[in-house]
Amino acid sequence: MQQPETSANRVNVHLGERSYHIDISSGQFDQFATAIARHIEDFSHAAVIADEAVDQLWATSLATGLEGGSLRVSKTTIASGEPSKSIEQFEKLLQRL
């Protein structure tokens, strides 16, 4: 079976003390959960929030990859589309967490 082509780039965002970098890659989704855990060493709860369009494609795999040890993972799916981008939806998400 042919392996998917992979590539990665890093973009540095220079904001003084608030500087950070963004890693952009393709073909490496299976390594995403490991990268998160490696970069955020001390966390006990992860929230995976996805809309219906990407839930089955990506969110379930990500949540499963993050689970393990003492890490608690909450996965929430919201409706796709502009109506979900609201203060009301944000309040609902906060209540679920």
Side-chain angles (χ1 to χ4, degrees):
M1 184 158 105
Q2 186 178 7
Q3 295 293 323
E5 185 176 326
T6 63
S7 64
N9 292 298
R10 175 167 284 183
V11 176
N12 294 306
V13 180
H14 301 285
L15 297 172
E17 291 181 13
R18 298 179 305 134
S19 294
Y20 59 94
H21 66 266
I22 301 169
D23 291 323
I24 303 168
S25 63
S26 63
Q28 299 179 347
F29 183 78
D30 58 336
Q31 299 171 25
F32 191 58
T34 303
I36 291 171
R38 185 175 62 242
H39 291 289
I40 305 173
E41 298 170 359
D42 185 24
F43 68 108
S44 59
H45 183 203
V48 177
I49 303 166
D51 74 3
E52 294 167 336
V54 298
D55 180 50
Q56 292 299 315
L57 293 172
W58 308 109
T60 300
S61 296
L62 176 59
T64 300
L66 288 171
E67 291 175 338
S70 60
L71 182 62
R72 180 171 57 109
V73 179
S74 301
K75 184 175 83 68
T76 302
T77 304
I78 60 173
S80 296
E82 291 302 313
S84 293
K85 300 174 186 174
S86 66
I87 296 296
E88 180 183 352
Q89 182 62 51
F90 179 64
E91 289 173 346
K92 289 178 184 178
L93 288 170
L94 291 176
Q95 290 173 0
R96 290 181 189 172
L97 298 175

